[in-house]
Structure formats: structure tokens, C-alpha cells
Amino acid sequence: MKAIAVIPKKKGSLQLIDQDKPSIDQIQDHRGVLIRILQCGVDGTDKEIVEANYGNPPLGDDHLILGHECLGIVEKVGQNVTELNPGDFVVPTVRRAYGNTIYDKIGTSDVTTADTYYEHGINLLHGFLTEYFVDQPENLVRIPSNLKEVAVLLEPTSIVEKGIMHAVEIQRRLKIWRPKRAAVLGVGPIGILAALMLRLRGIETYVISRTQAPYLNSDLVEEIEAKYISTKDISFKDAADKFGPFDIIFEATGFSPLVFEAMELLGKNGVLILSSITANDRKVEIPADKINLDFVLGNKVCFGTVNANREHFEQGVRDLSQALLQYPNWLSKLLTHPIKGLDQYKGLVKTLCGPSKGVIKLFCEISPFPEQ
Ligand code: BGC
Ligand code: ZN
């Protein structure tokens, strides 16, 4: 079977390779599930891997099959699988619990403290830009069939869900927390999905990015009754003065200097969620005393969040379902750039690493949906 792979940390190594089709017997205790991959999305992490800044191959291999955002359909299950049946749509979680920490043992490897973690398509495990994979049901989240057209968005959604769920958990320190206003920094898939999740929770949401409105992303933000702000029209600081104070800031720009500005502009008792993967080495000067003083006097919190476990994927399924009802047709507008077939891998990567204007979700249509 075909797969798109790179040799991590080696520039220009992207290639279409041929792999053996996996079998359910590879999984212990007859718990194997064979999945045919229908779609697989790519994001900034894949870009970092393709550009040789990030990622590691599985032990004993020199190549890494890319892809961690996929939707598949179950083709075959082992005799001890009761959770899933052939024909079910599924999305796999990304990180695997091979560590020995308590978090790995209880199914929350997203918060593992093990130095080595395993992520499909990213770190030490092959990914989903291929035709088939096998896994056990514990790692597969079932998708209701009315969600299948947009379910390739579930993995990025799970990242947002985890950030928000952790923020809520942290804010229990306040005994009562009624967030009114949120700012989302960045208008890529994570930023847009974060705005959606905040709107579904009834929070007044401001999405802040560079590009001037109107364009597709700003239109999509306005369609879910959030407000789009371009920093070319009004600075982040002026926006915070005018529309804040922000009880939540969700940072998803990939530009780390903004983190410190967000720390300065966060409201009292507020929570700042950091979700950008920044694999470079940028340095900036910051007003350290002021940020610290405001954090202390304002009882503010800032935390990082990565990956997501099953619970966050399941919350994502519920929220995406609500979004289909509340904002019909909106989610499918995020699927801007389908690429048909793994053979088109060069086009996929060209769009991934090229100018991102007009691109929200870029994904590969690996296999067609079955006829109903
Ligand atoms: C993935 C996460 C992963 C993170 C760090 C993100 O793009 O969606 O699952 O944990 O990269 O590798
Ligand atoms: Zn990702």
C-alpha cells in the first residue's frame, strides 16, 4: 500500500513509498481493528516535519509516514472486539501510552511526564497518510455517520477541547467562574475552531489576527457571531482596552512573542491558554516586572496544552454535532483544500509549505466514502 513519508530532519526527503498492508493479527488478544483511511488532514506540525525541523522515525526505520489527523472506516475486527463493527467511522487519537508514568497507565498519555512520547505521524510512530492501519479499539473514537463529512476536523478540535476543558478545570480555583469575554489569537484551523467552541459556550469572542477583513477566515468568524479584529486596524492592546477585559485568551498563532503581549493584556482572574508549537529559536525582550506584577496582583493563570486524550475527542464529537445544528454548513466551509489521492503528494506538500492565503484545512482524500 502507498504512504507519504519523509526522512525526519532531512530536507527534501519527502517521497511516496510502498508499505505492507497491516493485519489485525499484529494486535494482541484478537483486539485488532483494521481501518481503511478515508481522509487525512495536515497542519503546521506536518509542515515543521516536512521542513526538517521536527519529528522522529519509529525505532529501526529511517523514514516516518506523515499524518495525524484522520478519518477512517472499520473494515475488519478481531474476535474479541465488541466496541466497533465493520462499517463504523472512526478517528484515532494521536499519542500512545507506552510510557510508564501514572498518566500513561490511566489513559491520559496527553499529559505524560515520560521523556519519550509516541505520536502517530510525528514522533516514533508512523502516521495516517497511507491506505490502512490497525489499532486497538481503546485508541479509536467512533463517529456518528452524520458527522463523517467533517470528522477529519476532529483531531484539531480535540486540541481545542483539551485547552478549554483544562482552563475550566484550573478556574475551579475561583469557586465561581463565569467567563464573559474571550480573545482568540490566530485564525488558522485551531484559532477558528477555538472561536467556535467558545461561541457554542455562549462566550463573547474576539478573534485577533493580522490580515484585514473581509476574507474567508474573517467571514467564517463573523458567521458564528464572533468579532474579527485585524491588528492592521487596531492594535491588540487597543482591542483589549476597547473590548476587554478578556477572561480567556486562546493563543494559536505560532508566533511566540505574542504570548507575552497576551500575558500583559489578560484580564484579572483570567486564563491564558498556549497551544502553539514553536520549534524555532526566537528571542524577544519583555517587560518582565510588569507582566509578573500584573499576574500576581490579578491572580492570573497561563498554561500550555498539547495533544488530547479520548475524553477530549469525545467532547469534540458532541461539540461538532452541536455546531452542525447551530451553524449549518459552517464546518464544511473549513475544508477548503481537498487533494485527491496519495499520488498527489507533491501538490499536498506544495500547498502545505506554500503561501497559506485561502487555505484553512488542507487534507488528502485517500479513499472515497462508501455508497450509502
Ligand atoms: C498534534 C498533537 C501533538 C502536537 C505535538 C500537534 O500538531 O495535533 O497531537 O501532540 O502536534 O507533537
Ligand atoms: Zn496537529
Side-chain angles (χ1 to χ4, degrees):
M1 64 174 191
K2 293 174 207 162
I4 302 178
V6 293
I7 297 173
K9 316 271 167 64
K10 187 171 166 199
K11 283 209 166 112
S13 62
L14 184 88
Q15 52 188 309
L16 190 66
I17 61 166
D18 195 33
Q19 282 282 109
D20 291 340
K21 183 176 166 182
S23 138
I24 52 170
D25 304 326
Q26 286 166 234
I27 308 285
Q28 281 181 342
D29 302 329
H30 305 286
R31 294 275 293 155
V33 180
L34 175 70
I35 293 134
R36 180 157 55 88
I37 299 173
L38 301 173
Q39 299 184 333
C40 184
V42 289
D43 71 355
T45 301
D46 299 288
K47 183 170 181 240
E48 300 256 336
I49 298 172
V50 169
E51 290 175 348
N53 295 324
Y54 196 62
N56 289 295
L59 238 79
D61 273 345
D62 61 351
H63 69 282
L64 169 74
I65 298 177
L66 292 174
H68 60 275
E69 302 180 356
C70 96
L71 166 69
I73 185 164
V74 175
E75 276 210 347
K76 200 172 170 191
V77 299
Q79 68 194 51
N80 289 340
V81 172
T82 52
E83 300 91 327
L84 293 165
N85 290 302
D88 287 346
F89 294 97
V90 288
V91 169
T93 57
V94 175
R95 201 178 270 192
R96 293 291 169 264
Y98 303 139
N100 252 333
T101 76
I102 182 74
Y103 308 106
D104 297 296
K105 289 182 183 143
I106 62 167
T108 59
S109 54
D110 60 310
V111 287
T112 189
T113 49
D115 289 334
T116 307
Y117 57 84
Y118 295 77
E119 290 180 343
H120 280 287
I122 301 173
N123 205 41
L124 305 169
L125 291 176
H126 286 310
F128 308 126
L129 268 168
T130 182
E131 294 173 85
Y132 287 92
F133 72 101
V134 292
D135 211 332
Q136 53 195 51
E138 287 78 358
N139 300 324
L140 300 167
V141 178
R142 194 171 161 191
I143 304 299
S145 74
N146 65 333
L147 210 61
K148 65 176 184 294
E149 312 285 350
V150 294
V152 71
L153 294 170
L154 181 59
E155 195 279 339
T157 299
S158 73
I159 303 289
V160 170
E161 296 289 5
K162 175 179 172 184
I164 294 176
M165 285 164 85
H166 274 206
V168 170
E169 203 62 48
I170 289 167
Q171 293 298 71
R172 285 188 209 283
R173 71 191 172 123
L174 299 169
K175 308 301 178 223
I176 182 156
W177 185 54
R178 296 266 164 80
K180 282 200 190 68
R181 260 170 250 108
V184 174
L185 310 182
V187 78
I190 296 291
I192 292 191
L193 288 166
L196 172 68
M197 296 316 160
L198 293 162
R199 288 300 304 132
L200 290 179
R201 287 158 179 77
I203 296 171
E204 198 180 304
T205 304
Y206 298 83
V207 180
I208 303 175
S209 189
R210 255 182 315 206
T211 310
Q212 268 171 318
Y215 68 117
L216 176 62
N217 304 46
S218 67
D219 290 347
L220 287 166
V221 163
E222 304 274 344
E223 280 176 37
I224 53 170
E225 303 153 288
K227 187 167 169 51
Y228 181 84
I229 294 170
S230 160
T231 48
K232 288 194 177 136
D233 297 328
I234 169 169
S235 70
F236 181 16
K237 169 148 193 357
D238 289 347
D241 288 345
K242 189 166 173 199
F243 303 111
F246 298 122
D247 306 304
I248 305 175
I249 300 182
F250 197 116
E251 201 294 319
T253 61
F255 183 64
S256 57
L258 256 190
V259 166
F260 303 96
E261 217 179 320
M263 288 174 102
E264 280 193 82
L265 300 177
L266 184 65
K268 287 204 173 68
N269 287 358
V271 57
L272 167 59
I273 306 169
L274 307 183
S275 74
S276 292
I277 305 281
T278 51
N280 286 317
D281 190 26
R282 196 172 269 120
K283 296 191 176 57
V284 286
E285 200 171 296
I286 55 161
D289 273 348
K290 180 169 188 306
I291 291 175
N292 177 66
L293 185 67
D294 286 355
F295 251 68
V296 170
L297 298 182
N299 289 293
K300 304 185 197 182
V301 172
C302 170
F303 73 96
T305 176
V306 70
N307 196 252
N309 67 44
R310 191 182 182 91
E311 187 188 0
H312 311 119
F313 279 75
E314 287 173 352
Q315 184 60 39
V317 168
R318 290 189 284 274
D319 282 338
L320 290 178
S321 305
Q322 188 187 336
L324 282 185
L325 295 171
Q326 199 160 323
Y327 304 111
N329 304 322
W330 186 87
L331 284 168
S332 55
K333 291 187 207 163
L334 306 187
L335 301 174
T336 52
H337 285 66
I339 302 273
K340 231 185 187 67
L342 290 167
D343 292 332
Q344 301 303 314
Y345 70 103
K346 285 192 179 144
L348 181 79
V349 165
K350 195 167 164 224
T351 309
L352 177 66
C353 300
S356 59
K357 200 163 171 268
V359 183
I360 298 182
K361 184 43 71 187
L362 168 66
F363 63 106
C364 188
E365 296 177 319
I366 297 173
S367 172
F369 284 103
E371 304 278 332
Q372 305 248 325

